[in-house]
Amino acid sequence: MKNTRNFCIIAHIDHGKSTLADRLLQITNTISERDQKEQVLDSMDLERERGITIKSHAIQMEYHFEGQDYVLNLIDTPGHVDFSYEVSRSIAACEGALLIIDSTQGIQAQTISNLYLALNHDLEIIPVLNKIDMDSAMPDEVEDQIIDLIGCARTDVLRVSAKTGFGVDTVLEAIIHRVPAPKGDPNAPLQALIFDSVFNSFRGIIAYFRIMNGTLSKGDHVKFVATDKEYHADEIGVLRLKQIQKQKMSAGDVGYIISGIKTSKEVKVGDTITHVQNASHIAIEGFENVKPMVFAGIYPVDADDYEELRSSIEKLQLNDASLVFEPESSAALGFGFRCGFLGLLHMEIIQERLDREFDMDVITTMPNVQFKAYTTAGDIIEVHNPSGLPDASKLDFIEEPYIISQIITKSEYLGNIMTLCIEKRGVLKNQVYLTSDRVEVTFEMPLSEIVFDFYDKLKSISRGYASFDYHIEGYQRANLVKLDILLNSEPVDALSTLIHRDNAYVFGRKMCEKLRELIPRQQFDIAIQASIGSKIIARETVKALRKDVTAKCYGGDISRKRKLLEKQKKGKKRMRQVGNVEIPQTAFLAVLKLD
């Protein structure tokens, strides 16, 4: 155990984590020249295309240093605010963390929040200043920021360039000298923490674990504490680029277990593995259940694909434990699922993965957050979907979730960012200048306001320099109304939304205008209306396609033309009663992107 080191890499998005991980694998000869490529650990096409890490990945390296052989277990983590749950799980399985900071951008909001996650688990932090080969690098200024943030000595900060490989050997040296070896008793009852799982269509579910205490051998009879299910360890081993089987693993090791598990509900990330005979009765602490921030309905385009969609989402959930879902039905869309996501990027990624990995065509409804509705009878109802709101006569008031958001930006963009936050009903709580031209502002704002397009707008007005991080603070009373969209007086529940009364009129107008462009013309007029309760606040009409029935009446009396037009009018009226309006998928998606 004394020659084992478990560490993870934490950083803000695009600060060079994956590149540094590539270099570490190269220097330790874990990866051959032939297998070498950019972002080795990012296994999804989606991660490569977007240049972001979505999943945390574990890999083992061997390094010969000062006459001794060391085993280094690296867990690479995502950097985007929506995937902070992945980061928290990786941190729980480690003793140390490399904190990577881009020397051209300095410390960003997500860097700070990931750092606090690591400090809460008492990890040894090794600050690494990356991209120092760039012309725009400011190593001395950023080093001062790091020293202010962590309170470390100037000599503790490592200067590297992951792209060129400069200084990467000093990182390995620092890991060996500064990260503590794992503690744990190999002879104690087995306690192993599951920090991730993946689905393999041939082998069933593969769980990744880190042994805290005890020893695990191939063929052992084990049980999972949270689900109380028992299995035989058919295969155990360590994770290199490929899985390598082992006969025995003990405290401090990171690896995988295959035990023929078929159903996803039996593996809970954060669960403890122990032996059936000499069982440990204490589960490992430090894992909380994930709290989704954004809810949306996912429905199959073809109603017959419902069961297939269920199994696809279950398999995705194995690979992404922060996804939660429950069945629901809608009058317009049939049967589907109400899913909880950590944010909008997370929602977009799940949709994309359903399409690519499982070939599922889905419709996604308007994203919204969880509200609390208080009835006149004194009950509290959790509302994930506007259709679940109690009747207006029984409703006393609604509370919505509020967040504390921290934004770090260059001072020249401060005015625009303040305007944006105040438009989104934000209240300024604090403003601190980190350096002469970098400022941190703290706002309290409703979560529902940032769900749509806040992040995109923030990036565009700050030219990509502002970074954003948030945490839920609690619920506050709000003046919200339910905005319904009616097509020919029929409400479309998939388009209804809960919105602040002040914004309802503008939003309703825009929705109606957008739908008028997107709904194809029929043989009859289609009225598109936005309403709050029984009050119509906006209306647009899609005009009917008309056939020229009077073409054959040239000359003659006007009454002949009128008779034909009246006859057509009756037909149109009858058609309108029986005709139904199909809403194209593009209409649902366009509503999400309303400016």
Side-chain angles (χ1 to χ4, degrees):
M1 268 170 64
K2 71 180 198 307
N3 283 6
T4 303
R5 301 285 182 272
N6 297 323
F7 69 100
C8 59
I9 301 183
I10 53 178
H12 188 81
I13 189 167
D14 204 25
H15 277 207
K17 293 183 303 305
S18 300
T19 316
L20 183 67
D22 291 351
R23 291 297 153 273
L24 293 174
L25 295 178
Q26 232 174 341
I27 288 180
T28 55
N29 295 322
T30 308
I31 183 168
S32 65
E33 284 296 323
R34 197 179 67 182
D35 292 332
Q36 183 61 45
K37 56 184 176 184
E38 295 288 314
Q39 291 175 260
V40 176
L41 294 181
D42 292 349
S43 50
M44 274 185 254
D45 293 342
L46 207 55
E47 293 178 309
R48 295 176 180 290
E49 281 167 30
R50 295 185 176 225
I52 57 175
T53 305
I54 294 168
K55 282 290 302 164
S56 50
H57 296 271
I59 193 162
Q60 190 182 81
M61 304 179 278
E62 286 177 355
Y63 190 53
H64 187 75
F65 181 69
E66 292 180 351
Q68 294 205 25
D69 288 323
Y70 290 89
V71 171
L72 311 177
N73 288 310
L74 154 69
I75 301 176
D76 180 28
T77 63
H80 194 279
V81 62
D82 279 9
F83 303 112
S84 54
Y85 182 67
E86 290 273 334
V87 182
S88 73
R89 299 189 331 213
S90 307
I91 283 172
C94 296
E95 278 82 29
L98 296 180
L99 178 71
I100 298 187
I101 293 154
D102 185 338
S103 58
T104 62
Q105 294 184 42
I107 286 173
Q108 309 265 302
Q110 195 60 31
T111 317
I112 295 173
S113 79
N114 285 344
L115 172 69
Y116 288 152
L117 273 178
L119 290 174
N120 286 345
H121 281 83
D122 296 331
L123 263 60
E124 177 64 37
I125 307 292
I126 302 175
V128 178
L129 201 54
N130 193 15
K131 303 191 188 179
I132 60 160
D133 58 314
M134 306 269 283
D135 296 339
S136 54
M138 315 169 286
D140 297 333
E141 283 176 44
V142 180
E143 206 167 79
D144 292 340
Q145 291 176 22
I146 296 172
I147 291 163
D148 283 350
L149 181 67
I150 309 178
C152 60
R154 194 169 283 280
T155 50
D156 289 346
V157 183
L158 307 176
R159 294 189 177 191
V160 305
S161 161
K163 196 171 181 183
T164 60
F166 170 78
V168 179
D169 46 349
T170 61
V171 175
L172 284 164
E173 204 172 308
I175 291 165
I176 288 165
H177 286 316
R178 283 151 66 175
V179 174
K183 297 179 181 65
D185 179 1
N187 302 317
L190 175 69
Q191 272 185 316
L193 170 79
I194 300 178
F195 65 87
D196 206 353
S197 60
V198 292
F199 179 78
N200 182 313
S201 46
F202 301 107
R203 313 280 325 251
I205 290 155
I206 304 172
Y208 296 163
F209 63 81
R210 148 82 200 269
I211 301 179
M212 298 299 185
N213 289 307
T215 306
L216 176 64
S217 302
K218 184 176 176 176
D220 280 359
H221 194 189
V222 295
K223 80 165 179 180
F224 290 15
V225 175
T227 54
D228 215 23
K229 299 267 189 191
E230 298 182 5
Y231 306 100
H232 286 281
D234 300 338
E235 185 185 313
I236 59 169
V238 296
L239 297 151
R240 295 286 177 85
L241 268 186
K242 296 185 173 65
Q243 295 164 344
I244 293 174
Q245 292 192 39
K246 295 270 181 185
Q247 289 301 316
K248 190 174 176 185
M249 297 173 75
S250 64
D253 286 339
V254 174
Y256 70 91
I257 177 170
I258 299 176
S259 46
I261 306 168
K262 296 287 185 291
T263 52
S264 54
K265 291 188 181 66
E266 293 175 26
V267 178
K268 283 199 162 47
V269 168
D271 198 353
T272 305
I273 306 175
T274 186
H275 281 127
V276 174
Q277 261 67 42
N278 180 16
S280 159
H281 299 292
I282 308 157
I284 300 164
E285 287 182 1
F287 260 139
E288 71 269 17
N289 273 336
V290 59
K291 296 186 196 72
M293 302 290 179
V294 176
F295 295 87
I298 289 186
Y299 294 85
V301 171
D302 183 356
D304 298 342
D305 294 341
Y306 176 74
E307 281 305 324
E308 209 176 312
L309 180 62
R310 179 197 289 276
S311 72
S312 303
I313 296 181
E314 278 176 359
K315 286 172 191 168
L316 260 188
Q317 194 181 30
L318 272 179
N319 200 252
D320 182 350
S322 50
L323 171 69
V324 292
F325 70 96
E326 58 185 32
E328 73 163 4
S329 62
S330 134
L333 300 169
F335 290 100
F337 297 95
R338 186 105 203 128
C339 299
F341 308 97
L342 296 181
L344 274 194
L345 177 71
H346 186 209
M347 177 175 130
E348 205 178 309
I349 295 291
I350 293 291
Q351 253 180 289
E352 189 79 21
R353 287 182 69 184
L354 279 173
D355 180 33
R356 288 186 185 201
E357 293 171 30
F358 303 100
D359 203 18
M360 294 297 309
D361 278 343
V362 293
I363 293 174
T364 310
T365 63
M366 302 266 290
N368 53 18
V369 298
Q370 178 179 317
F371 299 97
K372 286 184 180 172
Y374 290 79
T375 62
T376 45
D379 300 329
I380 303 173
I381 300 169
E382 288 190 346
V383 180
H384 295 184
N385 191 346
S387 60
L389 202 65
D391 193 54
S393 58
K394 295 178 185 160
L395 186 65
D396 187 12
F397 63 91
I398 303 174
E399 284 187 344
E400 65 176 335
Y402 266 70
I403 58 167
I404 296 289
S405 63
Q406 285 150 321
I407 299 169
I408 297 179
T409 180
K410 287 193 164 182
S411 42
E412 62 195 89
Y413 306 119
L414 184 61
N416 292 345
I417 287 172
M418 289 252 192
T419 312
L420 174 68
C421 292
I422 290 163
E423 273 174 16
K424 298 282 187 188
R425 299 192 281 140
V427 178
L428 181 66
K429 288 287 178 192
N430 197 2
Q431 180 178 338
V432 184
Y433 275 86
L434 303 172
T435 62
S436 57
D437 72 332
R438 281 172 72 76
V439 61
E440 178 184 13
V441 284
T442 308
F443 269 91
E444 180 185 65
M445 53 206 301
L447 179 62
S448 56
E449 292 286 349
I450 69 156
V451 160
F452 275 112
D453 52 0
F454 178 78
Y455 197 68
D456 298 342
K457 282 187 173 168
L458 181 70
K459 283 292 181 197
S460 60
I461 61 177
S462 66
R463 299 195 189 150
Y465 275 108
S467 62
F468 170 71
D469 185 48
Y470 64 86
H471 58 267
I472 289 283
E473 185 209 18
Y475 281 78
Q476 290 186 22
R477 199 165 169 164
N479 184 9
L480 298 173
V481 291
K482 182 182 172 192
L483 180 74
D484 282 315
I485 298 295
L486 313 175
L487 290 184
N488 282 349
S489 312
E490 288 290 318
V492 181
D493 57 355
L495 292 176
S496 60
T497 172
L498 279 173
I499 190 164
H500 196 267
R501 192 180 287 277
D502 298 348
N503 304 340
Y505 173 71
V506 178
F507 189 71
R509 264 233 82 72
K510 284 183 178 164
M511 286 263 278
C512 290
E513 285 168 6
K514 196 78 183 166
L515 286 170
R516 191 190 68 192
E517 293 167 21
L518 293 166
I519 290 177
R521 289 170 72 186
Q522 309 284 343
Q523 294 284 336
F524 50 91
D525 282 3
I526 302 169
I528 304 167
Q529 295 165 311
S531 75
I532 296 172
S534 56
K535 184 181 175 191
I536 304 289
I537 57 168
R539 169 177 172 137
E540 292 287 336
T541 309
V542 179
K543 291 311 247 177
L545 289 166
R546 295 198 58 177
K547 186 177 169 193
D548 190 0
V549 289
T550 60
K552 59 188 179 194
C553 300
Y554 43 89
D557 189 18
I558 186 69
S559 58
R560 284 183 64 208
K561 286 186 179 176
R562 194 165 291 138
K563 185 177 156 192
L564 287 166
L565 289 170
E566 286 297 325
K567 191 174 166 190
Q568 185 188 32
K569 198 166 159 189
K570 276 185 195 151
K572 294 262 184 235
K573 193 174 176 186
R574 196 165 59 245
M575 201 184 286
R576 182 173 172 177
Q577 284 165 354
V578 296
N580 63 346
V581 184
E582 289 289 320
I583 304 177
Q585 167 73 0
T586 47
F588 287 108
L589 296 177
V591 169
L592 305 185
K593 296 190 171 68
L594 268 185
D595 188 18

